[in-house]
Amino acid sequence: MIGLLLPLHGIGGRQDLPVPFGLAVGGAAVAVAVSFVVLGLAWRTPKYRGNESGKPLPSAITRTVDAGWFRWLVRLIGLAIFGYAMVSLVFGVDRLTNPIFGFIYILLWVGLVPISIFLGPVWRTLNPLRTLHLLLSKLLRQPPSKGLLQLSPRLGLWPAALGIFAFTWLELVAPDRATIPVLQAWIALYVVITMFGAILFGDRWFASGDPFEVYASLMSRLSPWGRRTDGALVVRRPLENLDGLKAQPGLVGMVAALLGSTAYDGFSNSSAWVGWAQNQDISMTWLGTAALIVFILFVLVTYSGATLLAGRLSDSSRTTLPGLFAHSVVPIALGYVIAHYLTLFILEGQRTLIYLSDPLSNGANVFGTGLLAVNTGITNHSTAISVIQVLAVVGGHLLGVISAHDRAVALFPRHKALAGQLPLLIVMVGYTAGGLLLLFSS
């Protein structure tokens, strides 16, 4: 039976039925077998062209999307939605019926994934802080790209990776995280840092330092929508879109933070961890913080080590390989997100939409949803849920293997491309087996 809200996950984690052991083992076996089939029989020359590929969309669609009025319409919609939610944060009551908790932890954090997959990199336009910075720049009559300082390219995505760690720590570890004062403090800090960075470095800061925008941009790389190098709006194969993700400093840290924090979320809900941690003299906050860091560092070290070893086995330059292969971890992270958050998003997403009709918890029914009940029909299909979870983890693994394979045959000498892929394949299999184990043990 799917549990009720648990205090281990933002507004609460949702425990699905543990995946049957046979299904978990079968999924791991399929992942390993198909991986080696891909390596042995797949294409021997690179097929993906990244940002140079894609079939142009009808000109009317491109003109509409690129029109100034349309972009401002999307910006104002994003600003209005978040302005409405912030009323709950600033003036709402401090209890779980306040919709701000579900809005931040469910609709924003988890919802960024389906939004980015189905609509592409739309968050760049929806981002309310980017809109506020644009309005401020217009008020001051200066280009939004102009800042007081030059942003060093060496910084890359490291600020966003640290931001992802800070948010997942808030969501999964921080004491009293489901209280208004704690959430107010975190969001205030996030807004100040993001806007201060935009003032210092211009709007390019959002693509480097805003954890939500960088997260959404990574997931949008698995969308069929994209921009070609000539600026045309195109539809392309998702893995070809993913191939266009450019290596830059901090990209490896970013994907490690995403994958490691999601894995920790599954681990923190396991009975073994909860039972052990509660019997220790150290507080759950310190134990949880240490475990979260360990999970992220584990992904960072194992992935980087595998790619560096791949360079050694393939006689290739090793220093740049972690960044060049980091795109292949994104599908694995997506599989983890689907497996761990599917029912949480469906059920608590409904509850949040109901609560949003009453932002101040005073009996209002702004959208007419206040008297609705959560449809829990999904809880009657535990087998289907388990199958979806396993397919998400295994499917993410296979997409990652295919992406890594295509990149390997493009970078490595042909006669050593297969050997060069083996270390990364082994690590990916380990991630998949670990993900299935977490699902089994939850």
Side-chain angles (χ1 to χ4, degrees):
M1 174 180 179
I2 294 181
L4 296 175
L5 291 177
L6 297 174
L8 295 174
H9 183 297
I11 63 168
R14 187 158 294 279
Q15 289 275 49
D16 295 318
L17 278 172
V19 170
F21 180 71
L23 188 58
V25 172
V30 168
V32 173
V34 176
S35 297
F36 280 98
V37 170
V38 168
L39 292 183
L41 302 179
W43 49 86
R44 299 180 182 274
T45 57
K47 302 296 184 183
Y48 298 144
R49 296 184 298 118
N51 294 334
E52 297 179 357
S53 66
K55 180 180 179 181
L57 293 175
S59 57
I61 296 178
T62 300
R63 285 198 303 269
T64 300
V65 171
D66 289 341
W69 66 267
F70 183 79
R71 290 184 175 273
W72 272 107
L73 176 63
V74 175
R75 291 186 186 111
L76 293 177
I77 289 174
L79 199 60
I81 291 173
F82 278 83
Y84 180 86
M86 290 305 105
V87 171
S88 300
L89 179 69
V90 177
F91 303 108
V93 297
D94 189 9
R95 53 175 178 254
L96 286 179
T97 55
N98 189 322
I100 192 60
F101 299 112
F103 184 84
I104 297 297
Y105 293 128
I106 306 297
L107 299 186
L108 175 60
W109 177 240
V110 184
L112 276 179
V113 175
I115 288 175
S116 301
I117 296 294
F118 292 117
L119 298 180
V122 68
W123 184 252
R124 297 175 190 168
T125 309
L126 275 173
N127 188 343
L129 296 188
R130 192 183 269 271
T131 300
L132 289 175
H133 176 258
L134 180 59
L135 291 172
L136 179 62
S137 297
K138 288 185 174 295
L139 181 65
L140 298 177
R141 297 183 180 180
Q142 65 178 20
S145 60
K146 183 180 180 181
L148 301 177
L149 300 173
Q150 184 70 28
L151 183 64
S152 172
R154 295 182 179 180
L155 201 59
L157 301 181
W158 283 114
L162 291 175
I164 289 294
F165 170 77
F167 181 79
T168 53
W169 180 84
L170 168 73
E171 181 199 20
L172 303 173
V173 179
D176 300 323
R177 52 195 174 275
T179 61
I180 288 293
V182 170
L183 194 57
Q184 285 176 337
W186 195 94
I187 291 179
L189 192 61
Y190 158 70
V191 170
V192 168
I193 291 175
T194 303
M195 293 301 291
F196 186 67
I199 292 171
L200 280 181
F201 304 112
D203 61 2
R204 66 182 66 86
W205 172 255
F206 292 100
S208 295
D210 186 337
F212 299 112
E213 180 162 321
V214 175
Y215 177 40
S217 296
L218 285 180
M219 290 301 169
S220 72
R221 280 292 176 174
L222 289 168
S223 165
W225 317 111
R227 288 277 181 181
R228 210 163 52 190
T229 50
D230 60 3
L233 192 63
V234 299
V235 59
R236 58 167 72 104
R237 293 174 292 181
L239 288 186
E240 195 146 42
N241 206 357
L242 182 64
D243 188 69
L245 181 62
K246 302 300 182 183
Q248 56 180 307
L251 177 59
V252 176
M254 184 69 186
V255 296
L258 290 174
L259 186 58
S261 61
T262 308
Y264 167 75
D265 188 11
F267 174 74
S268 66
N269 285 330
S270 66
S271 57
W273 164 256
V274 173
W276 178 85
Q278 288 179 343
N279 289 324
Q280 305 304 308
D281 294 331
I282 306 175
S283 72
M284 287 291 292
T285 300
W286 285 105
L287 288 174
T289 301
L292 176 61
I293 293 173
V294 167
F295 269 82
I296 293 174
L297 288 179
F298 176 80
V299 176
L300 182 65
V301 171
T302 54
Y303 166 79
S304 299
T307 50
L308 293 175
L309 181 57
R312 183 181 183 88
L313 294 176
S314 61
D315 294 334
S316 303
S317 174
R318 297 192 292 275
T319 56
T320 59
L321 288 182
L324 292 172
F325 278 96
H327 73 297
S328 64
V329 183
V330 176
I332 300 176
L334 174 62
Y336 270 52
V337 167
I338 295 173
H340 286 281
Y341 300 140
L342 176 63
T343 55
L344 177 72
F345 183 68
I346 292 174
L347 295 173
E348 295 309 320
Q350 293 180 66
R351 197 184 310 277
T352 301
L353 292 175
I354 292 171
Y355 289 161
L356 278 170
S357 269
D358 188 10
L360 302 179
S361 301
N362 59 3
N365 193 5
V366 177
F367 303 115
T369 62
L371 300 179
L372 297 179
V374 175
N375 184 342
T376 60
I378 191 175
T379 63
N380 298 323
H381 305 284
S382 57
T383 300
I385 292 171
S386 296
V387 170
I388 291 173
Q389 289 176 302
V390 171
L391 289 178
V393 174
V394 174
H397 164 85
L398 296 179
L399 293 177
V401 168
I402 293 171
S403 298
H405 174 79
D406 189 80
R407 184 61 55 88
V409 296
L411 295 176
F412 297 158
R414 180 173 298 181
H415 64 288
K416 292 193 174 183
L418 184 60
Q421 294 177 72
L422 289 179
L424 188 55
L425 173 63
I426 293 171
V427 167
M428 286 184 171
V429 169
Y431 293 161
T432 302
L436 294 172
L437 179 63
L438 291 174
L439 291 175
F440 171 74
S441 63
S442 294

